[in-house]
Amino acid sequence: MAHPHPNENVGNGTDQRPLPLAGVKVVELGTLIAGPYATSLLAQFGAEVIKIESPAGGAPLRTWRKLHKGTSYWWYSQSRNKKSVTLNLKSPRAQQIVRDLVRDADIVIENFRPGSFEALGLGWEVLSAINPKLVTVLVSGYGQTGPYKDRPGFAAIAESMGGLRYLAGYPDRPPVRVGVNSTPRSPRGRRSAISTRCSTCSKQPTCRADGSPPRPTSTKTRITQRARWSAASSCPTAEKIEALRREGIV
């Protein structure tokens, strides 16, 4: 059953022009921040986002951290302008419903551990065969390949692996969390949304310079990479570090 959210219809004041992504259909299979944040950006620009939730209590984000009247503030922020469908993805019937949704969808975004989507019979090969124009976006902690691909990815882990935690804190204490919440996950969501839009644009004949037909596209992003970029852009020079060391600050 679909559950429209209170702010399903995006208002833009007295301007009645359609939003840029009006008519774009997105199927979201994600939890917490990175994947859902990407789809929330697409929804803000007019895309129809159908969020798949577990029937056992719904998405974890509904009750994550600070609550207002029993619902997380994060949920209000991340899930506005979306529709929800509750499905037990381990059920063959639910998996078929997802495949049916994908038939006329433009985009699928998921942020499960690599291999989980494929184990449900919903991998790229299956979905792209159903809908050759489909764009899939796979968001994970360490990417879809490599020695760390099976590890979970969270902000605290990404900040540590990327070096951000090394830059924050005090000289006589363990590293502390950086001052911006979900630093790696929110930028990763933004990059996922941008990559998604570029991929959907490439499937439109008017967007392809060579006029070639659209082809299936799979976009992959990882959280730890973003944390490393953030740390690199924040790093002071060697000269600055030495000056701070002489002053006893580091």
Side-chain angles (χ1 to χ4, degrees):
M1 178 179 178
H3 305 285
H5 288 275
N7 298 328
E8 176 185 337
N9 297 319
V10 181
N12 54 353
T14 59
D15 190 345
Q16 298 303 311
R17 292 176 298 176
L19 292 172
L21 296 183
V24 174
K25 180 178 177 181
V26 182
V27 178
E28 177 204 309
L29 298 104
T31 59
L32 294 181
I33 307 298
Y37 181 63
T39 58
S40 74
L41 294 177
L42 299 177
Q44 288 178 46
F45 284 96
E48 178 191 15
V49 177
I50 301 174
K51 179 178 180 64
I52 308 300
E53 297 187 63
S54 168
L61 194 64
R62 286 182 178 271
T63 55
W64 198 53
R65 297 188 174 174
K66 191 170 181 61
L67 306 181
H68 173 68
K69 296 181 178 180
T71 300
S72 169
Y73 282 107
W74 276 95
W75 176 260
Y76 290 122
S77 174
Q78 299 278 48
S79 302
R80 65 189 188 277
N81 309 320
K82 298 180 184 179
K83 301 174 181 177
S84 288
V85 177
T86 54
L87 293 174
N88 177 5
L89 293 178
K90 295 181 180 180
S91 162
R93 182 167 177 264
Q95 294 164 8
Q96 184 57 49
I97 291 174
V98 173
R99 288 189 281 268
D100 291 340
L101 287 171
V102 164
R103 291 186 191 280
D104 62 347
D106 300 285
I107 301 160
V108 170
I109 295 184
E110 63 97 346
N111 66 328
F112 300 130
R113 288 197 199 185
S116 301
F117 211 41
E118 290 76 8
L120 295 170
L122 300 172
W124 163 244
E125 290 78 8
V126 173
L127 299 186
S128 61
I130 296 172
N131 182 353
K133 296 182 180 180
L134 187 69
V135 172
T136 62
V137 181
L138 291 72
V139 185
S140 61
Y142 297 88
Q144 300 295 309
T145 60
Y148 288 178
K149 67 181 180 64
D150 294 325
R151 296 187 180 187
F154 296 97
I157 297 172
E159 289 167 13
S160 301
M161 292 292 293
L164 279 174
R165 294 259 172 141
Y166 179 78
L167 301 176
Y170 306 89
D172 59 340
R173 307 177 204 174
V176 301
R177 187 160 198 160
V178 294
V180 180
N181 192 25
S182 293
T183 297
R185 290 178 295 191
S186 296
R188 180 51 48 198
R190 284 194 294 272
R191 289 180 177 272
S192 297
I194 293 169
S195 300
T196 300
R197 182 58 190 135
C198 291
S199 297
T200 55
C201 183
S202 72
K203 293 178 178 302
Q204 302 171 12
T206 55
C207 291
R208 295 185 66 84
D210 59 0
S212 58
R215 50 182 186 268
T217 305
S218 180
T219 300
K220 300 165 184 162
T221 63
R222 57 185 178 184
I223 296 172
T224 47
Q225 184 179 31
R226 173 61 201 174
R228 286 195 291 271
W229 289 342
S230 297
S233 64
S234 303
C235 284
T237 62
E239 292 78 9
K240 181 65 174 177
I241 292 175
E242 182 57 34
L244 293 173
R245 183 176 290 113
R246 286 196 300 270
E247 295 173 16
I249 297 175
V250 297

